[in-house]
Amino acid sequence: MTQDVYPVPAEWARTARYDQAGYERLHGRSLADPGSFWLEQAKRLDWIKRPEMAGDWSFDEADFRINWFADGKLNVAANCIDRHLASRGGDVAIIWEPDDPAEEPRRITYLELHQEVCRFANVLKAQGVKRGDRVTVYLPMIPEAAFAVLACARIGAIHSVVFGGFSPEALAGRITDCDSAVVVTADEGRRGGKRVPLKANVDAAAERAPALQTVIVVKATGGEVAMSEGRDIWYHEAAATVSADCPAEPMGAEDPLFILYTSGSTGKPKGVLHTTGGYLLWASLTHELCFDYRPGNVWWCAADIGWVTGHSYIVYGPLANGATTLMYEGLPNWPDASRIWQICDRHNVHTVFTAPTALRALMKDGDEFVTKTSRQSLKLLGTVGEPINPEAWRWYHEVVGEGRCPIIDTWWQTETGGAMIAPMPGATDLKPGSATRPMPGVDPQLVDEKGNVLHGATEGNLIITRSWPGQMRTVWGDHERFFQTYFTTYPGNYFTGDGCRRDEDGYYWITGRVDDVINVSGHRMGTAEVESALVLHPKVAEAAVVGMPHEVKGQGIYAYVTLNAGCAADDALRAELVKWVRTEIGPIATPDAVQFAPGLPKTRSGKIMRRILRKIAEGDVSSLGDTSTLADPGVVDDLVANRVS
Ligand code: 6R9
C-alpha cells in the first residue's frame, strides 16, 4: 500500500525555526548530550537562581528518582506574566470568547493579567492559603480559571483543577484525596446556552468532603446561589479589599505546581503531580516547537482547562511564550457547527488546536458550516487526545485548511506534561493518522509483551526509555503506586499504556490503549471507575465495562451488568443505571450500552475475561478465541444472544 505523504509546504520549510535537517540535529543532540542540551534549553525560562544540574533520574527500583534542574529557583507566574511586562505589557495575553456569540469578547493585556493574578493571589492568602497548600479549582471556562491557577503558582500553592462536568461525588473524592481546604468555584457555568450549577455541586460535594473549609465563589452568571455563612465568600467582594500587587514566591524547580486527577486502570483516579521548572520548560518548549509559535500569532487551544491540554496549552505554555491565548467558554458546535470557524475569523486565529472527536462531530454536519467562513488567518491545525482517523485528518486538512495548513497531531498524556510525539511544521512530512516523530529528549521504543525491544518497522507497546523534563513526578500521596503503575511492566522504562506501530520511515502510529483505560471523546475513562459507580447501585451485583467503537466519540462505554436476585432487568432500570453513572461520575461517563448479563465470563480463579467482553461489544462474535478455560463457558452464549447493538 502506498502511503499518503504530505510534504512540508515550501513556505514552512523556508520560514520555520527548524527544517528537517535542523530537527534531526536537535533531536540527535538532545539524546547524545542531554546535560548540556537541557541546561541550554533552560535559558528560555527566567530563573531566580539558574540551575547547574539538568536531569538527575533513574527508573530503576533501587534508586528510583526523577529530578530536573533541581538546584534552580523560579516562579511560574512570574515567567508567564511579569517577565513580559516590560516588552509587551500592553499586548493581549488572553482573549476570552463567551458562550453566547452575541456577547462581547474580553481582551486581557499582560498588564491587566498581572493585576488580576496578584489580586487573586492576595485573596487566597487572605483566606489562609500558604505555600504547599492544595487549592481545588472547579470553574467554567472563564478568565478567572486562568487567574486562579496562576495565583496559586504565584504564592506556591498547588492547584488541583477539577473539570466542571464532574459530579459532586467525583469532586468530593478529589478534594478529599489531596486534602484541599479551599475550593474556587463560580455561581454557574455556561455551555451551549445551558447553565451548569457549579456552586450547588460544590455544596453537595462539601457534605462528603470534611477537609473543605472555604469556598471562594466567582460571580459568573449572576444566578441565584446559596451562600453558607462562615464558609463561602464572593470573590468580587474579597478582591475589592486586597492589593493588586503580590510578590512571586521563589520556588524550587522540583516544588509541586499542580495535581491533576486522571483515570487509570484501577478504580480510583490518580493525582498526577507536576512540578515547577521541568513542567514549565516542557510546556513552553513544545508549544514553540510543535507550532513554531511566533509573537503576534493568535493561539487557540479549544480544550477545557479541566484537562491537561488546557493546563499546558491554554495557560502555561503559551503564556510562558508571551502569546495571545484564546479561551472559549462554550461548545464547538453551538449555536451551530460554524462556531469554531467563526471564532477563528473573529479573532484572526493563527493556530487552532482541538480533538478528533470534535472534528468528527463537525464533519457529520456538512462542509457548508465550514466553507461559509473565511478561515484565511489559519496557518496551522492541531489535534490531540486520541488517534485521528485518516478521514477526519483529510477533512481537517482539505476542507478546514484548504490544503494549506499542516496538521499537527500531538501524542502525549496527562503524565507527560506536554507533547511527546508530534510533527514540527517546517521539519516533518505528514502522514494522516500518524503523530510522526519524537520531540527532542524523547526516546520512544516498542516492546513485545515480554519486554523485548522491537526494531525497525514493527508494532508493540510504547515505552519511553529516559526521563524528560515534563514527566510527572509522583501520584499524590502514593509514590509506590506511581512506581508500580509506570515502571514495573517494563523495568527501567516508563510504560505509556499505549500500543503503537512504527513504520519504515520511523513514524509512530498510536493504536490506542492496551490497558483498561478507554478514550471517550478524547477523555480518559478508567473502566474500573465506571464499574465502581455501577456496583454502588443497590440492584447491581456485578459490572464489567469495556470500550466499543463509536463513530463520533472514538470509543463508547459498554457496560455488562449482573443484577441482584429478584431485580427485574427492564428498560426502566437500564435508563436508571445510565442516569446513575452520570450522577456518580459525570456526563462524560454516560454508558452508551447497558447489557444485563446473568453471569460474566470468568476464569476458574475468578478473573473476568475482558477480551471476550470487548469482542462481543465490538460485535465481533465470530472470533471469541478460546473460551474453554472459563469457569462456565455457557455464559458466553447468553452474552452473544443478548448483545445490545
Ligand atoms: C493529552 C491527553 C492520554 C491518552 C494517551 C493516548 C491518547 C492522546 C493522542 C492519543 C493517539 C494522539 N492520545 N493524544 N492517541 N494520538 N495524538 O490526551 O492526555 O487525557 O491523559 O490522555 O490519550 O491513548 O495515552 P490524557
Side-chain angles (χ1 to χ4, degrees), residues 174 262-270 481 516 525-533 585:
R174 286 155 172 78
T262 191
S263 298
S265 33
T266 59
K268 195 171 162 238
K270 293 187 286 269
R481 184 173 175 200
D516 289 325
M525 192 82 280
T527 53
E529 237 171 299
V530 185
E531 289 162 7
S532 309
I585 306 177

Side-chain angles (χ1 to χ4, degrees), residues 175-197:
I175 293 170
T176 303
D177 185 78
C178 70
D179 198 17
S180 162
V182 177
V183 171
V184 181
T185 191
D187 44 6
E188 297 172 313
R190 306 187 303 180
R191 267 161 79 86
K194 297 203 184 90
R195 302 281 169 110
V196 186

Side-chain angles (χ1 to χ4, degrees), residues 420-433:
M420 298 288 280
I421 300 180
M424 287 166 37
T428 323
D429 295 344
L430 305 174
K431 301 185 187 186

Side-chain angles (χ1 to χ4, degrees), residues 384-387 409-414 498 510 513 519 524:
V384 56
E386 52 178 323
D409 174 1
T410 64
W411 172 83
W412 55 294
Q413 310 177 296
T414 306
D498 279 321
I510 307 294
R513 301 288 304 196
N519 195 322
R524 263 165 80 158

